[in-house]
Amino acid sequence: MKNTDEVTVLVTVNYKDLHNVLIQKGFKKMESFELEDYYYQKENMDFSKMSRMELLSKTLILRCVNRVSSKLIVKNKVMDAEKILSQSEVSCDVASYQDAKNLLEALDFKQWVHLRNECSVYSNNTLSLIVQNVNSKYLFIEIEFQSNDGVNQFEDLAELTEALKRYGLPINTNNLFIKKLDYVFNFEN
């Protein structure tokens, strides 16, 4: 099980303006990719009797990266009534999206949400972050405690928060742990 502590914040400007701010602050765009997340739950679950937090904690994700590779992900969340305190994940690669979808449907799982994330990785000598344009409507920045090479970028949340403030990025810092699904689900339903 991999610890997936991360901060996700809402961006308060459009992508073009954010890109310009990041470039001015010394960031370089390193790569772009697309994630498609298909959220599944057991067909017999009654969504109407669940809080959003319960709903988020009982979801299996089928993720496709650049329409080339796929994996199944289960995120284990530690929550209080209002927010997610921490999470870890278990994942496994699958041969194809269609095979995984067929297996889930055979096991009585039903797709209930689809999120399309257009992602851009930006980095400078100190910080790597991912800008995510979700469903062409919502713009987020995600920063993981560990970089892709497994090295810790930050010792703790306080250090990460200070880094965000130091760069003065156009973000909403009222909630550092936005879950994209929760945000989109809350605003689109």
Side-chain angles (χ1 to χ4, degrees), residues 28-101:
K28 293 180 183 173
K29 187 174 181 179
M30 307 304 284
E31 67 175 309
S32 294
F33 59 95
E34 183 177 284
L35 292 179
E36 292 202 60
D37 287 342
Y38 300 87
Y39 289 79
Y40 285 85
Q41 292 188 320
K42 289 296 273 184
E43 225 174 270
N44 61 357
M45 295 180 77
D46 187 354
F47 300 145
S48 66
K49 293 183 180 178
M50 292 183 186
S51 70
R52 284 189 321 278
M53 290 300 171
E54 287 175 302
L55 200 58
L56 289 170
S57 70
K58 298 183 184 309
T59 298
L60 186 131
I61 303 166
L62 174 55
R63 174 168 289 163
C64 301
V65 181
N66 289 331
R67 299 183 183 188
V68 175
S69 63
S70 300
K71 65 178 165 178
L72 287 171
I73 303 168
V74 174
K75 293 192 177 187
N76 301 301
K77 296 169 177 41
V78 176
M79 302 178 289
D80 65 14
E82 296 296 318
K83 64 182 178 184
I84 296 168
L85 303 173
S86 67
Q87 74 179 16
S88 59
E89 74 178 41
V90 177
S91 65
C92 69
D93 293 332
V94 294
S96 80
Y97 159 78
Q98 191 60 50
D99 289 347
K101 179 181 180 223

Side-chain angles (χ1 to χ4, degrees), residues 2 22 38 43 53 61 66 70 76 84 94 98 104 113-115 123 125-126 130 132 139 146-147 150 166 173 178 182:
K2 179 176 107 175
L22 288 168
Y38 300 87
E43 225 174 270
M53 290 300 171
I61 303 166
N66 289 331
S70 300
N76 301 301
I84 296 168
V94 294
Q98 191 60 50
L104 290 170
V113 174
H114 170 228
L115 295 184
S123 186
N125 292 334
T126 319
I130 301 171
Q132 297 183 338
L139 197 59
Q146 281 190 343
S147 61
R166 183 172 48 248
T173 57
I178 287 178
D182 184 37

